[in-house]
Amino acid sequence: MKIAFVGKGGSGKTTLSSLFIRHLAGTGSPVVAVDADINQHLGAALGLDEGVAGELPALGARLPLIKDYLRGSNPRIASADTMIKTTPPGEGSRLLRVRENNPVYDACARDVELDGHAVRLMVTGPFTEADLGVACYHSKTGAVELCLNHLVDGRGEYVVVDMTAGSDSFASGMFTRFDMTFLVAEPTRKGVSVYRQYKEYARDFGIDLKVVGNKVRDADDLEFLRSEVGDDLLVTVGHSDWVRAMEKGRPPRFELLEETNKASLQALQDAADATYEARDWERYTRQMVHFHLKNAQSWGNEKTGADLASQIDPSFVLQESVTTTA
């Protein structure tokens, strides 16, 4: 399952996504964790030293390698230079799978051990001084979107993405790439404002959206969230001594997480797993094509000097049964 964690800055989305990743790893499930926020905090939340986390290979810096690999022998893509963040796969494209080894993972992913279980971690990369005045940070997250477009995941496999803060993911089609989106909201007016934006934007795209109430202290906080988000409120998370220790860099064994918070994490997994049977790969591919055409017309054709609509393979549907090109 492909799962996104979103929310306003400071809502706790990175903390909750890291807890969820630890939970999934503890079940023995294969997990690819992606930090798609240019404010890179997921590595540290997973226990990496700040220095080590800061030296993780950036997806954005390895975009030529990613494009060249994913392009494969697709005859509709003249060169890797004509690929943009929304380029969809077609016959001959190479696809990514959660359980495999490939040159993209070799170059961009690093294993992180979590209480005896390993997850693959990939990071977008920070916005650097060299980018100022010449690049938009969406050029960094574009590498994540391109990988998601070429990713085939199956039952019991998880890709967890810590997204950019706020509603910035709607600047592209990346918000449609997920089976489940968990929106982390504090019990405040600002906390639920991003929920309203997501709900409005996602309405026409069949997005499964659930709210995780964070920093909920009492019945009044709970009632506020229920009144604001209604049935979209899935679970709430309150104070955690385990999280406090983690934020100090001294996390105890994950099995010592509070039972109530363990139950909340299991509820998140159950909600994500429940969407598996409703997967619609044809709609998924159709939305991919929709946003590719939109980006091609608005800026992609001009930037690449090519008609990017010709990259679309009308007979191709991304799905679990698709064979990956060697």
Side-chain angles (χ1 to χ4, degrees):
M1 312 303 294
K2 293 180 285 291
I3 300 160
F5 279 80
V6 301
K8 78 173 186 64
S11 64
K13 66 179 181 62
T14 298
T15 296
L16 282 168
S17 62
S18 72
L19 292 177
F20 187 59
I21 290 164
R22 289 176 185 269
H23 165 78
L24 293 175
T27 68
S29 301
V31 181
V32 176
V34 183
D35 192 342
D37 193 336
I38 59 169
N39 297 311
Q40 306 278 275
H41 298 304
L42 184 58
L46 291 174
L48 295 182
D49 178 85
E50 291 283 356
V52 174
E55 293 177 356
L56 291 170
L59 284 161
R62 289 158 178 78
L63 196 51
L65 178 151
I66 295 170
K67 289 180 177 180
D68 189 60
Y69 177 76
L70 296 179
R71 175 186 170 227
S73 60
N74 187 334
R76 295 175 179 275
I77 302 176
S79 70
D81 290 338
T82 63
M83 294 180 73
I84 61 174
K85 63 182 182 179
T86 55
T87 296
E91 186 67 31
S93 295
R94 292 191 180 99
L95 305 177
L96 302 175
R97 295 183 184 269
V98 174
R99 300 174 188 260
E100 70 179 2
N101 294 317
N102 58 55
V104 174
Y105 290 157
D106 290 343
C108 304
R110 294 294 180 267
D111 285 347
V112 178
E113 184 178 336
L114 302 172
D115 292 331
H117 302 276
V119 302
R120 277 177 168 148
L121 173 62
M122 299 196 294
V123 302
T124 296
F127 201 68
T128 65
E129 288 187 10
D131 297 318
L132 294 176
V134 296
C136 169
Y137 70 82
H138 292 117
S139 65
K140 300 288 187 182
T141 60
V144 178
E145 185 169 356
L146 191 61
C147 287
L148 290 175
N149 279 357
H150 290 74
L151 177 71
V152 180
D153 55 307
R155 186 189 294 274
E157 300 175 336
Y158 298 91
V159 178
V160 181
V161 183
D162 182 22
M163 296 284 281
T164 54
S167 56
D168 284 344
S169 63
F170 288 99
S172 70
M174 192 154 64
F175 73 99
T176 65
R177 303 297 85 202
F178 302 101
D179 298 289
M180 174 62 72
T181 297
F182 291 126
L183 189 144
V184 181
E186 300 167 87
T188 64
R189 291 173 64 186
K190 287 184 178 180
V192 299
S193 63
V194 175
Y195 161 78
R196 294 196 185 95
Q197 289 178 300
Y198 253 85
K199 188 72 171 178
E200 180 180 351
Y201 292 151
R203 184 178 297 123
D204 297 330
F205 293 93
I207 306 302
D208 279 308
L209 177 68
K210 293 296 181 183
V211 174
V212 182
N214 193 28
K215 305 176 186 179
V216 176
R217 296 183 297 182
D218 52 33
D220 186 63
D221 284 349
L222 179 58
E223 177 56 31
F224 174 82
L225 284 173
R226 282 177 173 163
S227 66
E228 294 292 327
V229 308
D231 292 339
D232 285 338
L233 181 64
L234 179 63
V235 294
T236 62
V237 178
H239 173 79
S240 170
D241 290 333
W242 194 98
V243 170
R244 289 283 290 177
M246 178 195 74
E247 291 173 341
K248 294 175 181 177
R250 300 194 296 269
R253 297 189 313 278
F254 190 63
E255 65 188 43
L256 299 178
L257 181 72
E258 298 84 359
E259 291 301 321
T260 55
N261 290 330
K262 285 182 182 179
S264 292
L265 295 174
Q266 184 60 54
L268 297 186
Q269 182 181 1
D270 292 344
D273 288 347
T275 67
Y276 182 83
E277 298 299 339
R279 282 183 148 191
D280 185 342
W281 288 99
E282 289 188 357
R283 184 187 71 184
Y284 186 85
T285 304
R286 188 167 60 250
Q287 290 174 342
M288 196 188 310
V289 168
H290 167 79
F291 283 103
H292 181 58
L293 290 174
K294 190 174 181 179
N295 279 266
Q297 294 166 3
S298 63
W299 61 272
N301 289 343
E302 182 178 355
K303 180 177 180 179
T304 62
D307 177 13
L308 300 185
S310 64
Q311 294 178 341
I312 296 169
D313 184 342
S315 63
F316 183 87
V317 176
L318 185 68
Q319 54 191 317
E320 290 178 53
S321 62
V322 172
T323 302
T324 302
T325 299

